[in-house]
Amino acid sequence: MPPPFPTATTATSHLALLFLLSSSSSLFFLYKSIRLRCKPSPATGPARTTIPTLLYASATGTSKTLAARLSARLTAHGGVLVSAADATSFDPDDLPSVPLLLLLVPTHDGGAPPPSAAFLARWLEESAADFRAGALLLSGLRFAVFGVGSRAYGETFNAAARSFSRWLRALGAVEVVPLGEGDVDGGDLEAVFEEWSGKVLRVVKGEELNEGVEGESDGLDELELEGEESDVDDEEEAVSGEIDMEDIAGKAPARRQNGKVEGGLTNGGQNSVKEMVTPIIRTSLEKQGYKILGSHSGVKICRWTKSQLRGRGGCYKHSFYGIESHRCMEATPSLACANKCVFCWRHHTNPVGKSWKWKMDDPLDIVNAAIDQHTKMVKQMKGVPGVKPEKLEEGLSPRHCALSLVGEPIMYPEINALVDELHRRHISTFLVTNAQFPEKIKMLKPITQLYVSVDAATKESLKAVDRPLFSDFWERFLDSLKFLHEKDQRTVYRLTLVKGWNAEEIDAYAKLLNLGQPDFIEIKGVTYCGSSATSKLTMENVPWHSDVKEFSEVLASKSGGVYEVACEHAHSCCVLLAKVDKFKINGKWYTWIDYDRYHELVISGKPFKSQDYMAVTPSWAVYGAEEGGFDPDQSRFKKERRHRTAALKG
């Protein structure tokens, strides 16, 4: 009597016989079917405990951390030793011998699984689509899937997790726990994962769920994956190793007392609306030095603020526009953003969103809290070697606010009221927008200087560099440039050059100049922020200052004389182009700002233009000057290899 399944020898002969009759694809699936059916089936029948195979696929560390948490819980309370493993180390051919599969997976580009789960996904997808594999191929397998995603991405929310669930069920596997779908930006990740892992624990212990998950499709079989695309990760972009287990479990210290929020902000009676900053996001940003204000704002002291407190030079904005870096406050009223740029300094630890959907703090409270936290950080510089007492005293009264810390400041619904409050205190405003909210630009009140990030010059490269959430990102980008042109105050294109990504698009950049006709064009080399699972950038993508200068000179020449290279700051690898007819008078550049005059114009309430508050640029800041944009009144310090500091007069 023949054996119920072919032996290894029989399988080999079958393959040889069918070689001339089958395509390579057919042979692959035939071999897979024979090999899988030859594997021993898992033990059947009730068991008190089941040892699961726990796999994670993680692009940024969140799924890996959740898997470690589940592993610890199952080991401590399930009576079995469970270890979490990366999906890349798992052989799909071993699936028939796995009694229980637990899979934690985020959604990657356009609804696809992350690279670490790509092979497993392809194996399951192709098997489920091949009629020869059959619906009983994985009939001995039980499984549970948890997805880490964000509803901000619309129809691709947890698409990868849903696909894994659908493929496994199509191959006969039994889903013993309903699909868990965590929303990292919605704030429910901890609660949903806690509930899902509790059900998994009951399964491992051999308890019945009585939820009728077996045989139910939940409508996922008909799920269409051709929804809105976005070349970004749905997974919470947490810096690996920086999230405490207590924070993920929702055990972070309470931030509210007597109805008030840390930083002096109140709830505003919006108890039914979720907060933007989840415990995971808060912990990650705080460990990077950010002070979180209320439920959606932040402030951080800049290294250039510290530098000028010690008389060691200011940032490029000091060279280009006369900002006093030691009196500059870097803040944002919105930690959320609609992009996940490849060069993000925050490694995408901030939330994402296409519209405002969170609790909203009062603009007056945000300004008060920001100044309070900023001055506290400045006070902490007291006693630091080199800090000058007179500069420290001045630093306690900020006179400039860079609304460009993180996220998209212009998303905040009360941005105009916030700007008014800053101006009322004679604090200048420099706001940067990522060019995805054109209507917000149109409605924005006059500010000291308005920036639009022009990170790429073509639709394809903008999608690759900024990784936007919006499907109509290019149209939004172009409209933003058009509305920028309508502003009477100082406007800027900010270009961040990334070698191999956008630095070669100089002709396309030149074509965009007529669209927004900005007063200035800042061209800066990308800053390398270290390795990250969220970015493929390396030091090879960082241009030299000479590269930035060459790019700037060529772009100026392509403008037909409309723009000339005006200033540079060699330390920041940054160059400034300015409109000749506005800011070059009798051979002298006037790129600096008369801040007292600006506030007089604001108080007057009358219309005014960018030329009305310009000031002459000092010779040391002009392009080509020997100082390279370094203020000669400052002292330049360079560290030697042995960490000894040598002072060189600028």
Side-chain angles (χ1 to χ4, degrees):
M1 184 175 182
F5 297 108
T7 64
T9 302
T10 307
T12 303
S13 63
H14 284 175
L15 290 179
L17 181 63
L18 293 174
F19 179 76
L20 296 177
L21 302 177
S22 304
S23 66
S24 59
S25 175
S26 297
L27 284 174
F28 171 74
F29 285 112
L30 179 61
Y31 173 72
K32 179 193 297 184
S33 179
I34 293 173
R35 181 180 175 187
L36 290 176
R37 294 182 187 277
C38 287
K39 284 183 174 288
S41 298
T44 58
R48 180 57 187 163
T49 59
T50 300
I51 301 177
T53 296
L54 173 56
L55 303 178
Y56 64 84
S58 191
T60 61
T62 300
S63 293
K64 180 180 180 180
T65 308
L66 292 176
R69 173 183 164 193
L70 178 60
S71 172
R73 182 174 185 179
L74 296 179
T75 300
H77 304 291
V80 293
L81 180 62
V82 180
S83 298
D86 195 307
T88 54
S89 63
F90 181 75
D91 185 353
D93 286 344
D94 293 333
L95 280 173
S97 60
V98 173
L100 176 61
L101 174 67
L102 307 176
L103 180 61
L104 282 71
V105 60
T107 296
H108 199 55
D109 297 347
S116 58
F119 180 73
L120 177 60
R122 179 174 175 270
W123 192 98
L124 290 171
E125 182 179 18
E126 291 181 350
S127 297
D130 189 351
F131 70 94
R132 290 158 295 185
L136 299 178
L137 190 64
L138 300 179
S139 59
L141 174 68
R142 299 191 301 164
F143 75 94
V145 179
F146 186 84
V148 180
S150 170
R151 287 190 173 84
Y153 299 108
E155 295 182 13
T156 61
F157 171 59
N158 275 322
R162 296 179 185 183
S163 296
F164 274 105
S165 174
R166 188 176 73 254
W167 295 329
L168 287 165
R169 283 186 281 107
L171 291 169
V174 177
E175 190 167 29
V176 293
V177 176
L179 176 67
E181 297 191 62
D183 182 1
V184 294
D185 292 309
D188 67 352
L189 177 63
E190 298 89 351
V192 173
F193 182 74
E194 186 73 15
E195 180 182 1
W196 180 85
S197 59
K199 295 176 181 178
V200 170
L201 177 60
R202 289 166 57 189
V203 170
V204 171
K205 294 172 67 175
E207 299 176 7
E208 293 294 331
L209 288 182
N210 296 321
E211 295 192 18
V213 296
E214 296 188 19
E216 292 186 5
S217 67
D218 295 325
L220 295 180
D221 289 331
E222 291 75 30
L223 177 68
E224 294 293 336
L225 298 181
E226 290 79 16
E228 181 178 357
E229 289 190 0
S230 178
D231 283 351
V232 293
D233 298 339
D234 276 5
E235 181 179 9
E236 166 57 34
E237 307 286 5
V239 179
S240 181
E242 289 196 351
I243 303 300
D244 293 333
M245 297 296 285
E246 289 80 6
D247 294 323
I248 294 179
K251 298 177 183 177
R255 300 289 174 175
R256 295 180 180 272
Q257 292 184 353
N258 301 324
K260 293 187 177 181
V261 185
E262 178 183 330
L265 305 183
T266 60
N267 188 355
Q270 303 174 77
N271 292 322
S272 61
V273 186
K274 61 188 176 183
E275 290 191 4
M276 177 188 293
V277 181
T278 65
I280 290 179
I281 294 172
R282 178 183 290 272
T283 299
S284 183
L285 289 174
E286 285 180 344
K287 287 187 176 181
Q288 296 177 61
Y290 296 89
K291 304 297 183 182
I292 308 303
L293 313 173
S295 63
H296 55 74
S297 305
V299 66
K300 185 180 182 182
I301 190 169
C302 175
R303 75 179 183 92
W304 288 109
T305 298
K306 299 177 183 178
S307 176
Q308 201 156 19
L309 283 171
R310 290 181 282 183
R312 298 183 180 181
C315 75
Y316 72 90
K317 289 192 290 292
H318 174 61
S319 302
F320 295 175
Y321 316 120
I323 279 183
E324 298 172 288
S325 298
H326 67 295
R327 307 188 75 179
C328 183
M329 176 177 68
E330 196 170 14
T332 181
S334 173
L335 293 164
C337 188
N339 290 342
K340 289 200 172 184
C341 305
V342 297
F343 49 76
C344 179
W345 290 7
R346 273 67 56 177
H347 297 286
H348 313 127
T349 48
N350 56 305
V352 293
K354 297 179 183 178
S355 61
W356 193 270
K357 53 188 177 183
W358 304 280
K359 293 177 182 177
M360 187 174 66
D361 297 324
D362 185 81
L364 175 60
D365 291 334
I366 293 174
V367 173
N368 285 335
I371 293 175
D372 178 62
Q373 290 293 332
H374 175 77
T375 54
K376 284 180 179 178
M377 289 185 283
V378 172
K379 286 179 181 178
Q380 291 173 357
M381 293 294 294
K382 185 177 182 179
V384 173
V387 170
K388 301 180 181 300
E390 67 277 11
K391 295 295 183 182
L392 184 67
E393 186 65 27
E394 290 177 348
L396 295 175
S397 300
R399 283 293 169 261
H400 315 284
C401 183
L403 294 166
S404 61
L405 176 66
V406 61
E408 175 59 86
I410 209 168
M411 281 183 69
Y412 176 52
E414 295 294 331
I415 186 63
N416 280 328
L418 184 137
V419 166
D420 284 344
E421 185 59 32
L422 289 168
H423 288 166
R424 189 182 69 80
R425 301 169 190 244
H426 281 215
I427 297 176
S428 66
T429 48
F430 291 74
L431 186 147
V432 181
T433 174
N434 291 319
Q436 288 299 291
F437 297 93
E439 291 298 325
K440 293 285 188 178
I441 294 177
K442 185 177 183 180
M443 297 170 59
L444 186 67
K445 283 188 174 182
I447 62 173
T448 312
Q449 191 155 286
L450 176 60
Y451 292 77
V452 168
S453 292
V454 183
D455 298 327
T458 65
K459 182 176 182 178
E460 294 73 20
S461 58
L462 188 68
K463 184 176 183 180
V465 172
D466 279 2
R467 302 192 295 178
L469 270 66
F470 287 106
S471 59
D472 59 341
F473 65 92
W474 183 247
E475 290 74 18
R476 289 174 171 272
F477 172 75
L478 296 179
D479 286 343
S480 294
L481 301 186
K482 294 175 184 177
F483 288 139
L484 189 77
H485 177 46
E486 298 177 1
K487 298 296 179 181
D488 289 327
Q489 289 70 47
R490 293 164 65 109
T491 57
V492 184
Y493 276 11
R494 171 178 281 182
L495 277 61
T496 300
L497 295 188
V498 188
K499 290 175 68 175
W501 291 75
N502 62 7
E504 295 75 25
E505 299 178 342
I506 194 162
D507 289 328
Y509 275 117
K511 293 179 181 178
L512 292 178
L513 296 182
N514 286 332
L515 204 57
Q517 299 183 32
D519 291 328
F520 305 99
I521 305 167
E522 285 182 8
I523 305 171
K524 187 178 185 298
V526 67
T527 301
Y528 179 63
C529 302
S531 59
S532 168
T534 63
S535 175
K536 300 177 182 178
L537 294 188
T538 68
M539 283 300 297
E540 295 293 327
N541 302 113
V542 180
W544 295 95
H545 185 54
S546 57
D547 298 327
V548 176
K549 290 173 64 175
E550 180 182 0
F551 183 97
S552 303
E553 291 170 358
V554 174
L555 184 60
S557 67
K558 289 182 177 292
S559 73
V562 176
Y563 296 91
E564 288 183 7
V565 185
C567 305
E568 68 176 313
H569 191 251
H571 188 110
S572 298
C573 198
C574 191
V575 172
L576 179 72
L577 273 61
K579 266 193 171 181
V580 177
D581 62 345
K582 278 188 177 182
F583 300 100
K584 195 172 187 180
I585 302 174
N586 297 326
K588 283 184 172 289
W589 284 111
Y590 284 74
T591 66
W592 274 37
I593 296 172
D594 184 337
Y595 294 100
D596 291 335
R597 176 58 181 159
Y598 172 76
H599 291 299
E600 290 176 1
L601 293 168
V602 171
I603 293 172
S604 72
K606 298 178 181 179
F608 61 96
K609 297 185 177 182
S610 55
Q611 299 100 310
D612 297 333
Y613 55 100
M614 63 185 185
V616 65
T617 309
S619 60
W620 55 263
V622 173
Y623 187 71
E626 183 181 354
E627 295 86 351
F630 188 87
D631 189 342
D633 291 334
Q634 303 283 299
S635 296
R636 180 175 295 156
F637 277 67
K638 292 186 178 180
K639 288 186 177 181
E640 296 180 348
R641 289 187 177 180
R642 296 183 180 179
H643 303 288
R644 291 180 300 180
T645 304
L648 304 175
K649 198 64 181 175

